[in-house]
Amino acid sequence: MPVILGPNRYGKAETRVVRVVRDGGVHHIKDINVSSALSGDMADVHLTGGNAAVLPTDTQKNTAFAFARKHGVGQIEDFALLLARHYVDSQPTIGHARVEIEEYGWRRIPVSDDASERRHSFVRDGQEVRTCVVHHDEDGRTTVVSGLKDLVVLNSTGSEFHGYIEDEYTTLKPTTDRILATAVSAQWRHTGESSSDFGASYDEVRRCLLEAFAGTHSLSLQQTLYAMGRRVLDTREEVCEIRFAMPNKHHFLVDLAPFGLDNDNEVYYAADRPYGLIEGAVLRDDAPEAAFAWE
């Protein structure tokens, strides 16, 4: 049987870039993790080992550092667009660039002693990680996907689960009052290749996600997922599709009867695994087809 080369790409994964902006005595930090993947006229490198079409992964790493110095790091979507366009526009053998960035937040440490105020001291923000994925190709097609991961949320009531299939292996008891907790990973696709302000868009999408989670009386985590996606699409016109991965962080009531104690939904055991994993997408019915796979 004949054998042919299939789809392929290569790149530099997880280049950690920390950019410090020194505004007099006040410093600002951008802490990002950049991964790039390139594809195009790459047959020779696979079939014969010829590297004439290859932009080394080490060069991709250096480009991320150099661009951080030359252009600064504002919104991660804008920085990813700069890199993706550079790779495609500067190299004739590169037909498609995928750039993924994660951003880690830092908050300034407040100091009570005004005489020794620290304007260069920070504490790592323990909340979610902001993400983006940008695709750009030689035909000028661009897709921008913003996102977040590890947004941990919990409702201590207002959640039920019953009416499900029961068979000979079912031991889970129906409930009309349970803890609902999850770590939200969400990615949302922009209707155009750029936003007037990716930062403001991110803040508003995040607000919509939290408000919908808090405001939904949930009969299932799937219902909550849909409510969160719908709130974003009803509110933010720059978003046409949003995808979720939401593990169900189970909390089980502890049986305190052996100790002569009742437990009226007060003491729980938090199990980290195994866990239910709920995934789904919500999109406008007129959403344009994505130019590229999101992965």
Side-chain angles (χ1 to χ4, degrees):
M1 295 290 291
V3 176
I4 62 173
L5 177 66
N8 60 86
R9 64 188 183 191
Y10 78 102
K12 198 69 165 182
E14 300 195 22
T15 299
R16 191 67 177 266
V17 181
V18 177
R19 175 73 154 90
V20 178
V21 176
R22 302 172 184 269
D23 183 12
V26 180
H27 293 183
H28 307 274
I29 286 182
K30 278 286 189 174
D31 184 354
I32 61 175
N33 203 24
V34 182
S35 296
S36 54
L38 310 180
S39 58
D41 184 13
M42 298 294 158
D44 282 350
V45 67
H46 290 87
L47 302 180
T48 70
N51 293 313
V54 174
L55 181 71
T57 64
D58 190 67
T59 303
Q60 296 173 47
K61 175 201 69 177
N62 293 339
T63 303
F65 290 130
F67 272 43
R69 177 64 183 92
K70 290 172 62 176
H71 304 287
V73 181
Q75 302 303 322
I76 56 175
E77 293 88 349
D78 291 321
F79 193 66
L81 282 165
L82 277 173
L83 288 170
R85 289 168 177 160
H86 166 77
Y87 291 132
V88 172
D89 295 345
S90 65
Q91 303 300 327
T93 59
I94 305 300
H96 179 194
R98 176 192 186 275
V99 179
E100 179 178 5
I101 299 180
E102 297 179 345
E103 180 178 0
Y104 311 106
W106 292 87
R107 290 181 288 115
R108 199 176 306 282
I109 298 175
V111 179
S112 58
D113 183 359
D114 292 338
S116 60
E117 182 179 1
R118 293 287 181 260
R119 298 182 179 181
H120 54 265
S121 300
F122 300 84
V123 58
R124 174 70 182 270
D125 194 329
Q127 299 185 52
E128 77 279 0
V129 175
R130 181 175 169 181
T131 67
C132 79
V133 178
V134 167
H135 288 268
H136 180 71
D137 72 3
E138 58 194 347
D139 296 325
R141 299 180 302 170
T142 306
T143 295
V144 179
V145 176
S146 299
L148 54 79
K149 65 180 183 178
D150 299 329
L151 178 64
V152 180
V153 291
L154 180 150
N155 281 333
S156 56
T157 190
S159 175
E160 308 178 28
F161 192 56
H162 48 80
Y164 44 80
I165 295 173
E166 297 188 46
D167 65 11
E168 64 268 33
Y169 304 112
T170 301
T171 59
L172 184 68
K173 301 301 183 183
T175 180
T176 58
D177 189 2
R178 67 170 182 170
I179 286 178
L180 181 68
T182 185
V184 180
S185 292
Q187 292 181 294
W188 51 93
R189 178 162 58 100
H190 293 266
T191 53
E193 69 179 58
S194 62
S195 171
S196 58
D197 188 339
F198 285 113
S201 177
Y202 176 87
D203 291 341
E204 287 302 301
V205 170
R206 182 182 184 277
R207 179 183 62 81
C208 289
L209 294 174
L210 293 177
E211 288 181 353
F213 179 84
T216 301
H217 184 97
S218 179
L219 302 179
S220 66
L221 185 52
Q222 288 91 330
Q223 177 196 13
T224 300
L225 178 153
Y226 179 75
M228 294 167 71
R230 180 166 185 169
R231 176 70 67 89
V232 171
L233 296 178
D234 285 345
T235 306
R236 305 304 305 173
E237 63 180 11
E238 75 274 16
V239 177
C240 62
E241 181 179 3
I242 183 166
R243 300 183 183 184
F244 295 94
M246 296 169 59
N248 198 335
K249 292 183 168 290
H250 299 297
H251 291 68
F252 299 106
L253 276 173
V254 178
D255 181 9
L256 299 178
F259 318 118
L261 299 171
D262 63 3
N263 189 4
D264 186 17
N265 290 334
E266 293 182 357
V267 180
Y268 295 84
Y269 165 67
D272 63 345
R273 56 180 61 103
Y275 53 85
L277 179 59
I278 312 303
E279 298 176 293
V282 186
L283 63 161
R284 302 185 192 279
D285 58 5
D286 61 349
E289 184 176 352
F292 311 100
W294 290 24
E295 293 76 17

